[in-house]
Amino acid sequence: MANLPSLDTQARVASDAAQSFVEHYYDSLNKRQPLAQYYASTSPHLTSASVKPDISINGRVVESVAAYEALLDAQGSHVHYDIASFDAHPVNPNYALGCPDALSAAADGSEVGGGPGRGKVAKSVRDGDRVSFAVQVNGTIRYGKPAATTTTTASSVAGGKDASAEGAPAEEAFNEAWLLVPHWEALGRNAARGLRKWVVVSQNFRAF
């Protein structure tokens, strides 16, 4: 379709958006700041379309962002996530689930000089604002000082085992897969400042 973003645009948008997400999300994670702003549950439009974050931590399904934050709190305060690499690729060039009427293609017809392919909505699609994308993150979790003996690791949080009892190392590798979609409230007219432009609908974390 002529109104879809080009492949180059899709790749650029996915790469730039993923970099912003990885930098800000893991910074918030390391500073133990609230994480709700990064997830689809912060969007009324997505929520009304029955879109909610699908969170899996070491194979354990976590029901909500609040429940995930409780797991993080159980790790203790001296936990740091170091990112080694990440990779991103576009999934859907024109994600539409939960899209409000004001941002739908039909809205272009009401504009002066608008119509199919000529309005603000069509431009937004071509610019890649509606792209959904996947991100794969690899890194290391550091648990306090190497000499610490009572730290609970990410693996033990999900598995119910005490890391110190098994002589677990102070570091472990992790892999995290994400899927992000447009945050409609951030694209709308008079959007509140500070809203994330894309939000998480799927998170799959594994520690090794």
Side-chain angles (χ1 to χ4, degrees):
M1 293 178 62
N3 289 330
L4 292 181
S6 68
L7 294 178
D8 285 345
T9 296
Q10 293 179 48
R12 173 182 54 78
V13 168
S15 177
D16 292 347
Q19 181 168 352
S20 176
F21 169 73
V22 169
E23 289 177 354
H24 287 90
Y25 181 89
Y26 289 97
D27 183 61
S28 295
L29 186 60
N30 287 329
K31 293 177 179 178
R32 287 298 188 264
Q33 296 174 340
L35 300 176
Q37 62 173 313
Y38 296 98
Y39 290 85
S41 48
T42 196
S43 166
H45 288 304
L46 290 170
T47 301
S48 67
S50 299
V51 178
K52 73 171 190 174
D54 180 8
I55 304 173
S56 175
I57 307 298
N58 290 319
R60 171 180 174 178
V61 175
V62 180
E63 291 299 322
S64 66
V65 178
Y68 175 52
E69 289 177 321
L71 287 179
L72 294 173
D73 289 341
Q75 291 181 326
S77 59
H78 300 293
V79 180
H80 190 88
Y81 290 73
D82 291 315
I83 307 305
S85 64
F86 73 89
D87 180 59
H89 64 268
V91 174
N92 187 337
N94 187 14
Y95 185 88
L97 195 57
C99 180
D101 291 341
L103 295 177
S104 68
D108 276 349
S110 62
E111 291 185 17
V112 176
R118 296 195 301 271
K120 292 180 181 179
V121 171
K123 183 180 184 302
S124 177
V125 172
R126 288 194 301 269
D127 288 346
D129 292 341
R130 313 298 181 93
V131 169
S132 65
F133 60 93
V135 189
Q136 194 84 16
V137 179
N138 294 288
T140 303
I141 313 172
R142 289 189 285 112
Y143 299 97
K145 299 178 180 180
T149 59
T150 59
T151 304
T152 302
T153 67
S155 298
S156 64
V157 165
K161 299 177 182 178
D162 182 68
S164 62
E166 299 182 356
E171 295 185 356
E172 60 183 351
F174 78 91
N175 173 275
E176 199 152 23
W178 303 89
L179 179 63
L180 289 90
V181 303
H183 185 184
W184 300 119
E185 284 75 11
L187 294 177
R189 182 178 298 177
N190 300 322
R193 295 183 62 182
L195 292 180
R196 305 298 304 175
K197 194 172 178 180
W198 280 273
V199 286
V200 173
V201 295
S202 179
Q203 173 186 6
N204 193 330
F205 173 93
R206 287 281 181 180
F208 303 100

